Amino acid sequence: MYGWNGRILRVNLTTGETSVEEVDPRMARDFIGGRGWAIRYLYDEMDPQVDPLSPENKLVFATGPLTATPVPTGNRYMVVTKSPLTGALSCSNSGGFFPTEMKRTGFDLFIFEGRAERPVYLWVNDDRVEIRPADHVWGRTVFETEDMLRAETDPRARVACIGPAGERLAPIAAILNEKHRAAARSGVGAVMGSKNLKAVVVRGTRRVPLAHPKELKALADQVVEEVKQAVAAGKATLRTYGTAYVPPVTNEVGILPTYNFRTGVFAGAEAISGRTLNQKYLIRPKACYGCPIACGRVTRVEDPVFGGEGEGPEYETIGSLGSACGVDNLAAITKANYICNELGLDTISAGVTIACAMEMYELGLIPESDIGRPLRFGDGEAVVEMVRLAGLREGFGDLIAQGSYRLASHYGHPEYSMSAKKQEFPAYDPRGAKGMGLLYATSNIGASHMAGDTAYMEVFGVPKKVDPLSWEDKPRLVKYFEDIFTIIDAAGLCVFLSIRYLFEPTYNVEPVRISRLMEYATGAGYDEETLLKAGERVYNLERMFLVRAGFSRADDTLPPRMLHEPMPEGPAKGHVVELDRMLPEYYRLRGWDENGVPTPEKRAELGLP
Amino acid sequence: MKIRIKLLAHYQQYLPPDCSSSSYETEVPPDARVEDVLAGLPVPLEESVVLVNGRTPQPGQVLREGDVLCLFPAIGGG
């Protein structure tokens, strides 16, 4: 096979046995790779109703056919499993250098099954596979674990691991690689913890075989050249500011989450922007493997209370640990980000859960004696203390670590949880970007911007601007973006570059270049049509996993605030999400019945069981 | 009449040298259209998102006293 290695590594943690399996070429082509292959294995092998933290759940690390190729940003992997936060699917995504190194071991996927009796880590050095004891790193932070495991394996090895939050089965625990890059969402870290799997360490030296290497290199070089020209022309927003350039933009359109999504307008937007970050804390930009963009931030905060050094914050972190909590102190936000990385927490879910607790505290719904301190909007020191307690599951942090839905339900008011399928919203108030509302409600992984970020067109004008406040055109847009994000994920690429350079800059966003790159890499017969069909196939199989797990139309919904409380101010003033009007049309376009279930006709069209 | 021009992300390089915030006030003729004002800005319009008071303007939209005309590059990400 080309593009793909064509081999998966299966690791049974209960028995300590590992095995290598060949991949069926037809399955490889039809499900693309990465997230697509992962759901194919999970759907075929696992009962979707299992307890996510039981040995019966399976955990898949998945690279794609363009991971570790010369295609720029071919540096992603996906963590796919049943989520302990949502009970639905997790498809969490990370870049950096671990994914490339993993693909170069000669395996496309690692599938973890069962549960180890004692803490272990997996060490894969090309073909040599070992399950090693991890008692000495259990209880250690992400940063300590990474350093210790590289020292005892290979200094060139790459590490993905969990921190105390994952060990303690926090439903908002992340998996970190290179200390600061996170497959963050849906509690994937807790699934690793439940298997007593502390870390995965990889060292790979194999080159990925390519079907048409010259053609692939030529197109990849052309894309890199276009990015470089944009940078040279002074258009390097993501390199200059990171995604932290976004708060003033979303604030301008009135969708920057503020005070637990009570409003989308935040007076402190400029104080938490990329410009402030550059003036005060940025050391240098940082790129993932093979990336000409370099949106990563290496930062240092010199401050008696919030001092530290690390990476971040990203926009999503600023919106959740910052404005959603009413915090305009960028030092506090950055410090909270460092702690999330160190202890292994998802910054989005942590921030939005703290925001939920702040609102409920201020309304008198959570007694101060439960928290152990006041917890008011705007208190950056409280945010920092809450993430620390959540990462260790100590005191009130034990409730924060379970996410906003469980926390709010514990006090009898789940309506204050800004979540869909129990997963916290990313940093776009959907009342002012209706596509995001439909996306959050219908996503197979709960609320997420990574599931099909229509804010690209609604807010950022990429590749074309559409009106964020209209709902009539959004069912089609959401379906299409879900399918093309599935393709990008499954291929092993980063959305930032792909949307702007590998699709056509039209309202139809045709997958012209990405389908050519897929064909040059694999030689499997991809064109635009077959690739789009494959994306749709993967998305539908994921949906069928949810159906078998017990999800239905009732779960494709949003908190009452988004449906019934009009945005109080700003450009989106007076707006709610017209979900009832969008959902039937979305199901119809998907080929799903009125309960959100793929019809037999749609399944037959896609070749699904 | 007076309106505000707001420039975000790397368009802040086009702000007047003495401007310490993201926006500045400017005088435009009464009934000036959005397109008229944009034509006088040193910003690559074909790659820009344009907003008036946070909303997408209609073609030919006439500006009013106190409007905020905001531009930022079409980039994406978050």
Side-chain angles (χ1 to χ4, degrees):
Chain A
M1 292 173 97
Y2 298 101
W4 305 289
N5 290 310
R7 299 192 316 157
I8 65 162
L9 176 65
R10 194 180 289 275
V11 180
N12 187 318
L13 293 161
T14 304
T15 64
E17 286 169 2
T18 64
S19 58
V20 179
E21 294 170 19
E22 302 288 319
V23 175
D24 171 38
R26 194 168 153 190
M27 189 288 289
R29 181 198 64 196
D30 289 351
F31 291 86
I32 307 174
R35 171 178 160 184
W37 287 15
I39 187 60
R40 180 79 256 188
Y41 281 98
L42 288 186
Y43 190 84
D44 288 351
E45 297 182 1
M46 199 178 104
D47 175 0
Q49 302 215 7
V50 299
D51 174 352
L53 298 179
S54 71
E56 287 71 40
N57 194 9
K58 298 192 184 193
L59 173 73
V60 183
F61 280 25
T63 65
L66 300 182
T67 308
T69 67
V71 179
T73 76
N75 57 48
R76 312 296 292 188
Y77 88 123
M78 306 286 299
V79 179
V80 186
T81 186
K82 180 170 175 173
S83 162
L85 182 68
T86 65
L89 206 58
S90 308
C91 288
S92 295
N93 178 326
S94 180
F97 293 83
F98 174 88
T100 310
E101 199 74 23
M102 175 180 157
K103 177 90 176 276
R104 287 189 173 149
T105 62
F107 298 105
D108 300 295
L109 262 58
F110 298 160
I111 301 178
F112 298 98
E113 305 172 344
R115 172 189 284 155
E117 202 169 315
R118 303 280 312 161
V120 296
Y121 72 94
L122 181 73
W123 166 221
V124 182
N125 185 359
D126 283 336
D127 277 335
R128 296 182 294 282
V129 178
E130 280 180 66
I131 299 172
R132 290 185 166 186
D135 299 274
H136 60 306
V137 284
W138 199 255
R140 298 277 186 175
T141 68
V142 165
F143 300 172
E144 293 166 342
T145 302
E146 160 119 9
D147 289 339
M148 290 171 73
L149 295 185
R150 286 179 89 172
E152 70 184 53
T153 53
D154 185 323
R156 295 162 300 180
R158 299 291 178 175
V159 178
C161 70
I162 56 171
E167 293 176 12
R168 294 167 200 188
L169 311 181
I172 63 168
I175 299 172
L176 279 289
N177 55 284
E178 286 92 61
K179 299 184 181 178
H180 309 285
R181 314 269 353 157
R185 305 226 66 194
S186 317
V188 289
V191 176
M192 230 169 124
S194 75
K195 299 193 172 309
N196 271 327
L197 179 63
K198 176 69 176 175
V200 178
V201 186
V202 290
R203 169 73 184 145
T205 60
R206 292 163 171 244
R207 292 176 73 88
V208 174
L210 298 170
H212 304 287
K214 277 185 192 155
E215 289 84 350
L216 183 128
K217 182 78 168 41
L219 183 49
D221 285 350
Q222 188 186 335
V223 173
V224 171
E225 188 54 36
E226 287 172 15
V227 177
K228 281 183 178 168
Q229 281 175 13
V231 170
K235 299 175 187 171
T237 287
L238 284 171
R239 179 188 299 248
T240 307
Y241 299 112
T243 56
Y245 90 90
V246 173
V249 171
T250 45
N251 193 56
E252 186 68 16
V253 295
I255 62 166
L256 176 62
T258 303
Y259 306 127
N260 196 34
F261 290 80
R262 277 181 180 165
T263 176
V265 179
F266 186 52
E270 190 61 42
I272 58 174
S273 73
R275 197 152 76 149
T276 308
L277 191 69
N278 286 13
Q279 285 162 359
K280 293 186 168 178
Y281 311 123
L282 180 70
I283 298 173
R284 61 184 164 85
K286 185 175 177 183
C288 297
Y289 172 87
C291 175
I293 298 174
C295 71
R297 306 286 92 182
V298 179
T299 50
R300 179 172 54 232
V301 178
E302 286 172 17
D303 183 283
V305 182
F306 303 123
E309 193 167 345
E311 292 182 28
E314 300 283 338
Y315 169 63
E316 296 296 341
T317 300
I318 293 171
S320 47
L321 291 165
S323 55
C325 293
V327 172
D328 64 1
N329 181 337
L330 193 54
I333 297 165
T334 307
K335 179 67 173 180
N337 188 164
Y338 295 160
I339 295 170
C340 285
N341 291 354
E342 189 175 13
L343 300 179
L345 280 178
D346 171 17
T347 58
I348 299 177
S349 283
V352 176
T353 303
I354 294 167
C356 171
M358 284 175 157
E359 181 170 17
M360 294 181 72
Y361 167 81
E362 290 197 351
L363 291 169
L365 298 172
I366 302 179
E368 192 169 313
S369 55
D370 280 18
I371 305 170
R373 62 168 296 156
L375 190 62
R376 294 185 203 288
F377 282 123
D379 187 344
E381 208 174 330
V383 169
V384 168
E385 187 180 345
M386 286 301 129
V387 294
R388 194 191 314 278
L389 290 172
L392 299 170
R393 291 196 80 160
E394 289 177 0
F396 190 68
D398 183 52
L399 271 173
I400 303 274
Q402 295 179 49
S404 61
Y405 190 87
R406 289 174 177 84
L407 179 140
S409 299
H410 179 80
Y411 291 101
H413 290 279
E415 69 272 19
Y416 290 106
S417 165
M418 293 304 122
S419 61
K421 297 188 178 75
K422 303 191 178 84
Q423 175 156 281
E424 287 70 24
F425 285 2
Y428 308 88
D429 191 313
R431 289 174 293 185
K434 306 295 172 74
M436 295 303 272
L438 181 60
L439 172 72
Y440 295 172
T442 58
S443 157
N444 290 327
I445 58 176
S448 167
H449 58 305
M450 294 303 293
D453 192 349
T454 58
Y456 270 92
M457 286 178 84
E458 297 185 285
V459 178
F460 300 110
V462 177
K464 292 282 180 189
K465 186 78 166 68
V466 299
D467 182 2
L469 297 175
S470 70
W471 58 265
E472 292 86 347
D473 52 337
K474 299 304 161 59
R476 186 197 72 82
L477 189 64
V478 169
K479 177 205 177 284
Y480 191 73
F481 265 58
E482 286 170 341
D483 288 349
I484 65 177
F485 272 55
T486 301
I487 293 168
I488 296 166
D489 284 348
L493 298 181
C494 171
V495 167
F496 286 180
L497 179 125
S498 304
I499 286 285
R500 288 163 62 207
Y501 291 95
L502 305 184
F503 291 79
E504 291 302 284
T506 65
Y507 285 104
N508 291 324
V509 207
E510 298 92 344
V512 174
R513 282 173 158 182
I514 194 170
S515 61
R516 281 165 59 198
L517 289 168
M518 283 288 296
E519 180 58 15
Y520 294 155
T522 65
Y526 286 112
D527 57 22
E528 291 164 46
E529 194 180 337
T530 53
L531 189 60
L532 278 174
K533 191 59 79 183
E536 189 181 11
R537 182 179 297 116
V538 170
Y539 201 86
N540 275 268
L541 190 60
E542 291 175 348
R543 183 71 180 194
M544 287 163 65
F545 183 93
L546 263 68
V547 171
R548 278 175 43 181
F551 285 79
S552 68
R553 177 177 180 144
D555 301 292
D556 287 345
T557 191
L558 295 170
R561 174 165 292 168
M562 298 298 122
L563 302 175
H564 307 300
E565 282 181 35
M567 181 72 87
E569 58 183 325
K573 183 175 178 177
H575 280 265
V576 295
V577 181
E578 292 89 345
L579 185 62
D580 283 350
R581 310 184 82 156
M582 294 189 282
L583 198 58
E585 173 67 1
Y586 170 82
Y587 285 167
R588 192 188 67 76
L589 289 167
R590 274 263 169 239
W592 296 353
D593 68 18
E594 67 284 357
N595 204 25
V597 179
T599 59
E601 295 76 26
K602 176 52 78 173
R603 300 205 304 267
E605 176 198 319
L606 297 171
L608 292 173
Chain B
M1 65 179 184
K2 287 188 165 64
I3 64 161
R4 287 199 84 78
I5 308 275
K6 184 184 277 194
L7 301 176
L8 299 177
H10 69 251
Y11 285 0
Q12 300 196 330
Q13 65 188 303
Y14 301 115
L15 287 165
D18 56 343
C19 182
S20 60
S21 75
S22 302
S23 66
Y24 61 96
E25 203 169 61
T26 190
E27 186 76 29
V28 299
D31 298 333
R33 293 179 312 150
V34 173
E35 290 90 333
D36 303 334
V37 179
L38 291 177
L41 295 176
V43 174
L45 293 177
E46 69 282 1
E47 301 164 14
S48 302
V49 175
V50 178
L51 303 170
V52 175
N53 303 328
R55 293 200 181 194
T56 309
Q58 300 298 317
Q61 182 171 328
V62 174
L63 289 162
R64 292 173 306 179
E65 174 88 27
D67 277 353
V68 178
L69 178 62
C70 176
L71 287 92
F72 56 88
I75 296 291

